[in-house]
């Protein structure tokens, strides 16, 4: 093939996400070379590509892969995050020419992306770190894409990324977030919100299952109904599907045979750790990460139930209605997103990224896992005032006013019945803290000054002060 006929895009890593992304790129009219470390995977993928096979150049070695791409090359890495990305960059580097570009489309830690972007500045190649959300269906049909790196690198890839991305009312869900690790940072916070949203839905499911004694299918119907209202979202939609599915082996509801032990690859935990570092509270996300950790302690929880007995777990429908559960989820969701956006706002200043908060809400409106009807209103609120807490924006303040008592009621009833609702509780405590102008940290300051002479501020006077307990005073 003459060099000018070669594709200028290559995709390395044909796992589920890579294979689907490659087909999506091919379908949008771009030709691309593909490579997987295990060649049989490449062969199988190419055979299964059907009418798109002609758009794809399968290659057997890394050298053949690079030689099959026309310079300046755009090489998309779709390999597991972590050391494999570094190893792959190292292996590619000697084969690359000036202005070739590596695009890491995995779920990389933003710190790693910062480091790789820095290293690329001293090398001949360009580097982009892009967060891609939407799971395998999103990768195939249109994911949400959050880009980070040098602006010219993004501009070069933008036509491809915009073409393959999801569209919201015709607008591509692919946006440049800022330098270096900015795209992976935004994707990390997306995943933190994803964890909290999923956990809150699971908590409400638990109240319906154990509190109301509802069958999984009926719970699915409730989610279906909610999905037609203000809770409309991909996560509610799939929760309905999951709840209504039947296990082929036993004929039971699928949910009833799934072990209650949740896995995690780490992105939610990264969000919680990073938020702690920057003193930006994301309490619903923290609670969701902890709940996943607790869920994996199946044996210990059995021991606990043996010692303490299971909680009463029976809620009178008169005491709590499905409408109140819906309100609780709405309030919890607003508080959780407010935390996520506040964290992005603080990172934006500290890392100097100038993260485009309204555009982040926009890029999440379609394609990604946390897409929901609410995000459009969030984009509007952030355009109006990007620096204010989301709960204070008119539309969301009204929503919190009309739903926080529902959330309160749900938590009170759950606590009385011994049913854990950690993420919903964390969301409510956050809301209550954020509307309490005089909190209780005066006691903390008194304690700190007492044992460590750390000093405190006074309500009636500027400066640093000590209490009467200060050494020599008492
Ligand atoms: C997405 C998802 C995706 C993946 C995460 C979840 O936006 O498409 O977030 O990235 O599902 O890896 O990971 P956990 O295994 O941590 O739940």
């Amino acid at each position: 093939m003459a060099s000018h006929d070669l594709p200028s895009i290559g995709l390395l890593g044909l796992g589920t996400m890579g294979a689907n992304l490659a087909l999506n790129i091919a379908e949008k009219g771009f030709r691309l070379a593909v490579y997987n470390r295990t060649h049989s995977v490449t062969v199988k993928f190419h055979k299964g590509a059907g009418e798109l096979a002609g758009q794809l150049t399968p290659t057997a070695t890394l050298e053949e892969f690079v030689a099959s791409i026309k310079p300046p090359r755009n090489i998309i890495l779709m390999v597991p995050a972590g050391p494999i990305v570094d190893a792959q960059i190292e292996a590619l580097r000697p084969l690359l020419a000036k202005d070739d570009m590596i695009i890491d489309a995995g779920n990389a830690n933003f710190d790693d992306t910062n480091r790789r972007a820095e290293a690329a500045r001293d090398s001949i190649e360009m580097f982009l770190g892009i967060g891609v959300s939407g799971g395998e269906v999103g990768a195939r049909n249109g994911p949400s894409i959050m880009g980070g790196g040098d602006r010219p690198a993004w501009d070069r890839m933008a036509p491809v990324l915009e073409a393959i991305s999801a569209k919201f009312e015709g607008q591509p869900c692919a946006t440049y977030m800022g330098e270096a690790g900015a795209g992976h940072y935004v994707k990390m916070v997306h995943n933190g919100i994803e964890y909290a949203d999923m956990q809150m839905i699971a908590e409400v499911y638990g109240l319906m299952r154990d509190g109301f004694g509802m069958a999984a299918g009926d719970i699915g119907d409730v989610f279906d109904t909610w999905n037609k209202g203000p809770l409309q979202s991909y996560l509610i939609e799939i929760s309905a599907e999951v709840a209504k599915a039947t296990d082929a082996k036993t004929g039971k509801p699928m949910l009833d045979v799934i072990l209650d032990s949740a896995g995690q690859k780490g992105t939610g935990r990264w969000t919680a750790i990073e938020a702690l570092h920057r003193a930006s509270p994301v309490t619903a996300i923290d609670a969701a990460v902890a709940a996943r950790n607790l869920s994996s302690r199946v044996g210990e929880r059995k021991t606990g139930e043996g010692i303490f007995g299971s909680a009463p777990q029976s809620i009178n429908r008169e005491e709590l209605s499905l409408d109140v559960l819906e309100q609780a989820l709405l309030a919890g969701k607003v508080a959780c997103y407010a935390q996520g956006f506040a964290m992005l706002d603080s990172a934006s200043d500290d890392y100097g990224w100038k993260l485009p908060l309204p555009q982040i809400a926009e890029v999440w409106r379609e394609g990604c896992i946390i897409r929901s009807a609410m995000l459009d209103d969030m984009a509007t609120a952030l355009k109006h005032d990007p620096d204010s807490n989301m709960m204070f924006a008119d539309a969301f303040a009204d929503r919190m006013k009309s739903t926080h008592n529902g959330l309160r009621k749900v938590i009170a009833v759950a606590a009385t019945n011994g049913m854990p609702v950690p993420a919903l509780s964390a969301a409510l405590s956050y809301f209550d803290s954020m509307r309490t102008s005089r909190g209780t940290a005066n006691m903390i300051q008194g304690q700190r000054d007492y044992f460590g002479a750390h000093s405190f501020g006074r309500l009636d006077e500027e400066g640093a002060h000590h209490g009467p307990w200060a050494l020599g005073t008492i």
Side-chain angles (χ1 to χ4, degrees):
M1 197 186 282
S3 133
H4 63 270
D5 287 335
L6 296 175
S8 65
I9 305 171
L11 187 141
L12 189 161
L14 292 170
T16 314
M17 289 294 284
N20 281 296
L21 205 66
L23 293 174
N24 183 358
I25 296 170
E27 192 181 63
K28 299 300 171 311
F30 301 98
R31 292 172 45 241
L32 73 162
V34 290
Y35 170 74
N36 196 77
R37 205 167 45 140
T38 310
H39 185 52
S40 57
V41 172
T42 313
V43 173
K44 193 169 166 217
F45 164 74
H46 192 237
K47 270 199 187 132
E51 56 188 21
L52 294 173
Q55 296 283 104
L56 300 153
T57 309
T59 58
T61 64
L62 202 58
E63 289 73 13
E64 189 197 344
F65 171 64
V66 173
S68 304
I69 310 167
K70 183 176 67 177
R73 303 175 176 90
N74 303 295
I75 297 178
I76 301 171
L77 294 187
M78 255 308 192
V79 296
I84 297 178
V85 175
D86 290 311
Q88 216 42 266
I89 293 173
E90 283 309 307
L92 277 169
R93 191 163 277 150
L95 306 172
L96 300 182
K98 188 167 173 353
D99 293 336
D100 284 351
M101 174 153 57
I102 294 177
I103 302 125
D104 178 10
N107 258 338
N109 185 299
F110 77 97
D111 267 333
D112 286 339
T113 305
N114 280 341
R115 172 175 56 76
R116 288 170 190 143
E118 190 58 42
R121 291 214 169 94
D122 299 329
S123 311
I124 50 166
E125 81 274 4
M126 300 161 88
F127 186 79
L128 264 189
I130 61 170
V132 178
S133 177
E136 66 182 282
V137 175
R140 178 67 183 84
N141 299 327
S144 164
I145 298 175
M146 296 141 254
D150 291 341
R151 185 78 215 205
W154 170 261
D155 289 342
R156 191 166 109 189
M157 268 312 275
V160 179
L161 299 175
E162 286 173 2
I164 64 168
S165 74
K167 309 288 178 299
F168 180 86
E169 293 175 356
Q171 201 180 321
C173 294
T175 301
Y176 178 70
M177 299 296 166
E179 300 284 307
H184 279 136
Y185 195 96
V186 173
K187 174 63 171 46
M188 173 187 76
V189 177
H190 164 284
N191 279 31
I193 294 172
E194 173 185 303
Y195 272 48
D197 212 338
M198 291 166 75
Q199 174 64 26
M200 290 191 283
I201 294 171
E203 290 172 13
V204 166
Y205 153 73
L207 292 170
M208 287 192 270
R209 182 190 69 183
D210 301 330
F212 295 160
M214 287 171 68
D218 295 336
I219 297 173
D221 289 341
V222 173
F223 286 141
D224 264 343
T225 307
W226 289 352
N227 200 39
K228 296 185 181 87
L231 276 176
Q232 191 280 318
S233 63
Y234 174 70
L235 284 171
I236 290 285
E237 179 191 325
I238 65 163
S239 301
E241 297 286 316
V242 169
K244 287 193 289 185
T246 304
D247 174 36
K249 187 173 160 200
T250 59
K252 290 182 181 170
M254 196 69 237
L255 265 180
D256 294 353
V257 297
I258 300 178
L259 185 65
D260 57 327
S261 173
Q264 54 181 314
K265 294 201 202 77
T267 42
R269 185 186 304 142
W270 295 345
T271 312
I273 294 170
E274 162 68 7
L276 284 172
H277 277 307
R278 61 183 37 277
S280 184
V282 292
T283 57
I285 298 172
D286 297 340
V289 175
R292 284 204 195 186
N293 295 338
L294 270 170
S295 80
S296 68
R297 301 184 172 220
V298 181
E300 235 176 308
R301 290 190 282 118
K302 273 197 185 123
T303 307
E305 188 170 319
I307 296 171
F308 301 112
S310 60
Q313 297 196 335
S314 164
I315 303 173
N316 188 334
R317 288 278 194 118
E318 314 266 287
E319 208 182 348
L320 199 65
S321 67
L322 289 171
D323 286 349
V324 175
L325 282 186
E326 184 184 19
Q327 283 174 24
L329 218 38
L330 277 165
K333 189 163 170 144
V334 173
C336 156
Y337 278 69
Q339 295 178 354
F341 278 106
M343 174 175 175
L344 288 167
D345 195 28
S346 98
S348 180
D349 290 344
D350 291 358
Y351 293 109
W353 282 327
K354 300 194 174 25
L355 292 174
L357 295 194
Q359 285 73 31
I360 292 174
E362 284 178 355
V363 89
W364 288 347
R365 286 181 304 190
E366 208 36 89
C368 70
I369 302 296
I370 63 169
R371 60 187 184 261
S372 77
M374 247 188 231
L375 276 161
D376 201 29
D377 294 337
M378 290 187 181
T380 308
L382 288 162
K383 270 182 198 151
H384 185 249
D385 185 0
D387 296 320
S388 173
N389 189 296
M390 177 80 69
M391 295 189 304
F392 303 161
D394 289 346
F396 293 101
D398 286 347
R399 182 149 282 165
M400 288 309 289
K401 282 178 192 165
S402 62
T403 56
H404 75 88
N405 280 327
L407 177 57
R408 201 173 301 288
K409 172 100 184 159
V410 166
I411 290 164
V413 172
T416 311
N417 286 278
M419 303 173 72
V421 283
L424 288 171
S425 305
L428 180 64
S429 291
Y430 176 77
F431 168 74
D432 282 336
S433 298
M434 290 298 284
R435 65 159 192 176
T436 302
S437 63
R438 173 121 175 103
T440 56
N442 48 328
M443 173 54 100
I444 309 286
Q445 286 300 79
Q447 292 161 338
R448 290 179 70 243
D449 189 60
Y450 189 104
F451 63 64
H454 293 293
S455 83
F456 50 76
R458 293 182 60 100
L459 288 170
D460 54 0
E461 204 181 324
E462 291 287 305
H465 303 270
H466 293 287
W469 47 75
L471 218 56
T473 323
I474 52 171

